[in-house]
Amino acid sequence: MSTHALAGLGLFLTGAAFSQVLAFGIAAWREHQRRRQIDDTLGPPAPEPSND
């Protein structure tokens, strides 16, 4: 395998990994925004009852 092919494969894999990180980051941000909107609408969640 030539150096150019290895470099191309490396760039492809790096780009794929970056795309995954970006996709997961956007998904986490959207989930945070959704929870924030629910909290703004309904108020914060009720505290957990204690088992004392």
Side-chain angles (χ1 to χ4, degrees), residues 20-35:
Q20 286 292 321
V21 169
L22 189 62
F24 280 115
I26 290 171
W29 177 78
R30 290 185 68 194
E31 176 69 16
H32 174 73
Q33 291 297 104
R34 187 182 70 82
R35 287 182 186 265

Side-chain angles (χ1 to χ4, degrees), residues 1-18:
M1 191 177 273
S2 71
T3 304
H4 286 91
L6 285 174
L9 180 62
L11 286 174
F12 173 76
L13 293 175
T14 302
F18 178 74

